[in-house]
Every structure is written in C-alpha cells, then in structure tokens.
Amino acid sequence: MFGLMDRFLTSDLISLQKDILDHVEYTVARSRFSFDDFEAYQALAHSVRDRLIERWHDTQIHFKRKDPKRIYFLSLEFLMGRSLSNSVINLGIRDQYGDALNELGFEFEVLAEQEGDAALGNGGLARLSACQMDSLATLDYPAWGYGLRYQYGLFRQVILDGYQHEQPDYWLNFGNPWEIERVHVTYPVKFYGTVEDENFNGGKRKVWVPGETVEAVAYDNPIPGYGTRNTITLRLWAAKPSDQMDMESYNTGDYINAVVNRQRAETISSVLYPDDRSYQGKELRLKQQYFFVSASLQDIIRRFKDSHSNFDDFPEKVALQLNDTHPSLAIAEVMRVLVDEEHLDWNKAWDFVCKIFTFTTHTVLPEGLEKVPVDLLESLLPRHLQIIYDINFDYIEELKKRIGLDYDRLSRMSIVEDGAVKSIRMANLAIVCSHTVNGVSRVHSKLLKTRVFKDFYELWPHKFHYKTNGVTQRRWIVVSNPSLSALISKWLGTEAWIRDVDLLAGLQEHAANADLHEEWKTVRKVNKMRLAEYIEAMSGIKVSVNAMFDVQIKRIHEYKRQLLNILGIIHRYDCIKNMEKSDRRKVVPRVCIIGGKAAPGYEVAKKIIKLCHAVAEKVNNDPDVGDLLKLVFIPDYNVSVAELVIPGADLSQHISTAGNEASGTGSMKLLMNGSLLLATEDGSTVEIIEEIGADNMFLFGAKMHEVPALREKGSAFKVPLQFARVVRMVRDGYFGFQDYFESLCDKVEVGNDFYLLGYDFQSYLEAQAAADKTFVDQEKWTRMSILSTAGSGRFSSDRTIEEYAEKTWGIEPCRCPF
Ligand code: 26V
C-alpha cells in the first residue's frame, strides 16, 4: 500500500548523497565522477529544492482545504540574498547535508559561497520584506508575497580610482534553482487604450478598451518556515509578450515590428529602479507597478473564486498589504475589477476596498512620497485615472462635511494635486482607502501624525498605528553567525530562542560570567579574523584583529551622515599626526569600515564615497599611523556581505540626524550579534535604548525635537573649531581632489548644514571617545556586548509580524500537520 508518508524524501546520509550525485548527473548534466564547486552547489541546491517543494505542496493543499483569511503582501522590492544556508537551516537538515558533503569531499560553507545574491531591492524596505516573509512562514501564517522578477537586480557597485561605477547585475545568468517557473500561471495585463460608454441593463457603464497586452508569468519562490512544515510562496512576475501582441503586428504584415514589440514587452520586468529617494514619474516605473499589481490581483481573485461563488466573503478572506505606496494602484484596480468586470455595485466595491487594504509607509522624507503625473496615468491607465477621480470626488464631498470649506486643507488632503504638473498623490490615495496606516517605529509614527500626515491624523486618528520593525534571527544570527548561535544555545540550554527570541533575555543573568566572557570573546575574534581576511582579499589592506572594528554599512545618504563618520576619522587622523610619538601608545587602534551604494544619479552620495577613498589612501599609507587607524571601504555591499561584516563588528554607527531615519534595521542585526551601538536618538534607536539602557550604548547628537529650531537658527550656533579644521583640510586639498570636494564642503558650511554635522560634531567625538575608553576595559565591553544580544529580542520580525497579524490584518496561523 502506498502511504502518504512514503512520498517524503528522506534525509539520511546515503539518501542525501545519492540525491546530490543524481542532480550532478541529471540536472547539472556533469559526470558524477568529475564536477567542480559550482556544479556541486547547483546539485546541492536542487536536492534542497526537492525537499522544499514537498513541504510547499503540502502547505498549499492545507491552506486550500482550510480556506483561512490570507494575507497578500504586495511589494515592488524583496532583498532575499542567498537561499541555500537559510533553507537547510529552516528545514532542519543543515548538519546532515554537511556530513553528506564531507564524505563526497566538499565543504558546505565553500559551496554556499558559490551562490549569488538575489538583490531585487534597494535597501531597508526591501530587506524588511525578506525578513517578514521568513517570519510569516515560521509563524504559520497563510501568506503570499507578490513582487516583480527583475532580470537585473540592484546594480553591482564597482569602485575605480575611488569613484563608484554601476554595472548590471546578471543574477539569472547561471540559473536560479530557488524559483519554479509556472508556465501555466499566466495572466494578461493591459495598458493604454480608451474608455468607452456601453449600454448595460438599461443604463450606461464604462468599458476600458486597452491598447496593449503583456503576459505576466509566475515564478514561485518557496519560503520555508523554521520548526514547521509550513512553506509559503513568494510569487514574482516576469513580463512576456502575449500572443495577441504578435497577431496584431503580423496582421499588418510587419514582421520586424512584431519581434521588436515582443522585446518591448519584456522590458517591463527587466530592471529594478536603483533610486530609493525620489520618484521621477517615469512611464516604465508606472508600468512595472501596474503590471505586478494587476497580475497579483488576478491571481488573488482567481484563488478566491475557486472556493467562493460570490464576493460576499471577500473582506473576510483577503487582506492586502501595501508595502509603501509603490503598489497602491492596487486600490484602483480592485475597484475596476469588482465594478467593471464583476459588476458589483460601486458602493459595495468601495466598502470592500476600505476593509481589505492596509498601508505601511517607510519614509519621512517628502521627496520619497510618490506623485504620478496625471498625463502619464491617463495615457497608460485611462480607466484607473477615472476611478481615482471618482474616489477623490466622493472623498472630498465627505471631507467637506467633516471639516467645512477650508480650501487650503482640502487641497492639501486631496488625492489629486493641482500643481504645475497635475499629479496623483499616491500616499493620499493609500491613506484614504486603507483602514490602517502603519509607521515602522514609534517616533516615525509620531512624525507621521504630527508632520507628514497631520491633516489625515486629525481626521482619522484611529487609522494611525505603528509596528516597530524587526529582523529575523534565523538569517541574522543562525545563518550568518553560527558560532554565536551555538554559544547562545549552550548558555541558554536550548535552541528554542530561534523561534522564541524573547528567550535571549536569559543571557542577562550570565552577563558577568567569566567563562561566558572567554567564549564570547573567542567567537567574536574568529568572526573578526574572517572579516579581516575578506578585507585583505577585497582591498589588499591588512588590518589587525586587536583593533576595534567600527562599522557603518547602509545605503549612502546625506541624512545617514557617512560624511560625519569620515570627518570624525579625519579628526582622529589629525590627532594622531599631531601627537607626541610617545603618546601614540595610548591610542585605541581602530579599523573603520564603511560600505554602501549610492543611487546612480545621487552626486553628493557619490562624492562621499570618493572622499572615503581619498582619506583611506592617505591614512592607510601613513607610516606615522600604522595599525592605529585604518579606513576600509567595502565595495558592493549587499546581503551576503552584511552576513560577513555584521558578526565581526565591535562597534556600529547609526548616526542619522534625529527625525530622518524612519526606523533603521541594520542596527537591530548588529545589536543581535553583540555589536555596541554608537547612535543618535532616531528611528528605532529610541526603542533600543529602552530595551538595553542608554549606558549600554554610546549616544550623542541633537534630539528630534531640537532639530527644527537648530535648522532655523542656521549660523547662530557655534561650530566647534575641530569641525572647521577638518572641513578646511578637505577644502584645502589635503586629500587631493580639491575642486571635486568643494561642493561637499559647501554642504556642511554654517548656514547650509541641513543635516547638522557641525552642530553634532562635538558630541559625536565625545561618544567616540567614550567608546575608546570602554574598549580598553575588555571586561566591560564584553558585558555590554552580551547585554546587547540579550536585549535584542524585541527587534525580531517575529514580533512585528505577530502584531501585524493580530492588530492589522486579522489573520490566524494555519499550521500544516506533519
Ligand atoms: C522611495 C522610493 C521613491 C520612488 C522610487 C523608489 C523608491 C524606493 C524606496 C523609497 C522609500 C525608501 C524606502 C526605504 O527603504 N525606507 C527604509 O525602510 C526601512 C524599513 O522600514 C526603515 O528601517 C528605514 O529607516 C527606511 O529608510
């Protein structure tokens, strides 16, 4: 008799080896007697994928049978990084694979290095989506992620002569074993055309007659949970030409154009936009947004209709999460489908929309808020523009009843902006139509309520909430820092913290234990050695592992103030140079590590990168300095580089001008790994202070409530002499490239210094001095480091996702039985 269980692949040594070798032979098509590391990686990945697929099928069958309310997470960006290690750890078969490979003459870690990153996103927002997918799977929620399968992910950063250059990321060139192409899961997505009136049931109705159709093909990426069989789906859409497109061109006899058109269709999913600052009103970007929204909604509605004969239960079964404004065309699309295609009454459709959408915003910068020019929308999606106008009309009428004829306020709150370029404010659309608007930390939420969306908060206070971000401890401790992971499990006497991260607090009671200190220091040292090797391989710079490793890794932005860090390094250098030789013994040696990408069109950020290299060139080659100070720029910072750098960081910097970082999640990863934080009271740092205490960190800088007045004051506050001096050194060409750096220096001159580098410099140096002093006291440092890890529990994405599930989405776990 063939039982259900017989189907499962087994994970004993012999089966795993057989599987790997079979994949070498039949999937990779190499001889099982001769294959290299990359081929071994491919075979290994396919063997893991087989196991993923089993669980994934079972989960999907279970969800279908139970028909729970589902959460659909719509995001234009997912920064997944590598999948191999994460998958085997979540499947619980890491050690078995390690042993199986050893006998075949391979090492798991070496093969894992063969994998390239999936970098389908820019920065914080995109990595957060990836962490949240891991938590959704682990916590058994019936969830789907939807996004775009870009052929080119975030550009590769290449540094030539200290300048950033961008190169395409051909991430699919060597195949991608983690995705499953679903050639039969395709939907037509339509663009352009006109809207016509049609007779219907004795009245009129609008009919969109589109001008172009592109096919969306699904690529499924199974996302395994940890400690559960549940494996959920990240479904990414790729654009393919539709047959209809061919027919139109062939009918006109234009063969060449037919082929060219086919290629044009594919460009929709070809490249990720690399700017995470400003929306530029580009047609291709808008096409991407609608393409993925339309395909996802067709899929979601098809799934709903599979088990429901009418739409009555739609809001009880479907929750749609808008990850920032990027997918907010989904609102108009749901209205269009329900009204125009499913023939629901407008009011009923509107009622559904108000119940199913939730919106999370990830920025405080006004230029991060998308505005779509009406002309563009009208030509690309004429029916959607009408729908948005109709929504806006009803909403403004309601608003007038609530607030009267305050035209200034009405115009500020309108979805349609009547400026020089008439535009749709996507954030306003998302706020009006969502039942919940979430910020990503407590102070972010406060800013939203008091500044960015003040008018809306006053109208609908009940809509505004926050869920402080979190990161997954599976990726950021277990995968990236296995020795720390083992140490934590040993001292806690359990691995349960991997699912229940609050248990990390149990380390507190051992924070002064001398044995733990020794083991903690050993683990940290080994991680630093690994990082030092990487630095030497990448840059040729030899660094001492006895020095303090001081890390700032994140996108390069003026508000994140990498420039403050570099100016601080110049000050340190200047001090060393001007010291008596005998005093140099007292200097605490530092290795300053900076990594991050600048958006290709962001000139200031690119100059900061160049300055970093220019300073490094001088400092690193100065015999007076030696090991006392090194500056390293790590090129092409991405998820897998982060996995290497974070475990080796003694100190990390999160030094944005207060009020600018919505949350920040890098700080959470570093905290979990026992790095001490040197930080301003911005974003989630404020909440980190509450968890681990201000005396376990090095805090400095203007407070959020002081910033507006300080900006007003401009030149009225005194800039410390040391600041003027280091800026002058750059200005005078001490590091070369005098003309090139001039505009950068102008940016921090008195009166111009929007991000308050000058104002914060003094307290920044003091915080740095406090860090130095503590580092000398290794016992104190180690205790603080242990307490950092112990206090990081609240910053797990498991907690964030539970909050979303219970308070915002109204979904419940749906655990697949073993
Ligand atoms: C804005 C735009 C404007 C249009 C072009 C594409 C684009 C892409 C991204 C953004 C907004 C920046 C999104 C972002 O990454 N924000 C970060 O989100 C993190 C997760 O919530 C948070 O920790 C960071 O503080 C926040 O900067």
Side-chain angles (χ1 to χ4, degrees), residues 667 671 677 684-693 697 795:
S667 53
L671 186 76
L677 268 46
S684 57
T685 304
V686 177
E687 290 162 73
I688 294 178
I689 298 170
E690 287 166 14
E691 293 299 305
I692 70 164
M697 322 163 63
F795 305 102

Side-chain angles (χ1 to χ4, degrees), residues 124-125 128 275-276 279 285 326 362 440 469 559 661-664:
L125 162 148
L128 185 78
D275 198 339
D276 63 349
Y279 183 76
R285 168 80 178 178
H326 318 155
H362 298 263
V440 288
N469 285 164
Y559 84 80
E661 191 69 89
S663 163

Side-chain angles (χ1 to χ4, degrees), residues 77 122-126 128 273 275-280 285 289 324 326 360-363 367-370 440 469 559-560 660-666:
E77 301 188 9
N122 272 286
L125 162 148
L128 185 78
Y273 275 83
D275 198 339
D276 63 349
R277 294 174 304 147
S278 52
Y279 183 76
Q280 300 188 330
R285 168 80 178 178
Q289 295 186 343
D324 219 292
H326 318 155
T360 297
T361 168
H362 298 263
T363 187
E367 61 270 26
L369 299 177
E370 293 181 295
V440 288
N469 285 164
Y559 84 80
K560 293 181 190 280
N660 281 265
E661 191 69 89
S663 163
T665 48

Side-chain angles (χ1 to χ4, degrees), residues 96-109:
Q96 291 87 324
Y97 268 115
D99 294 345
L101 285 166
N102 282 346
E103 283 195 8
L104 293 174
F106 291 91
E107 252 184 84
F108 186 92
E109 291 83 357

Side-chain angles (χ1 to χ4, degrees), residues 27 242 245 292-293 324 435 602 668 710 725 771:
T27 309
S242 80
M245 180 181 272
F292 118 85
V293 154
D324 219 292
H435 63 76
Y602 191 178
M668 301 170 181
L710 288 169
R725 181 174 161 85

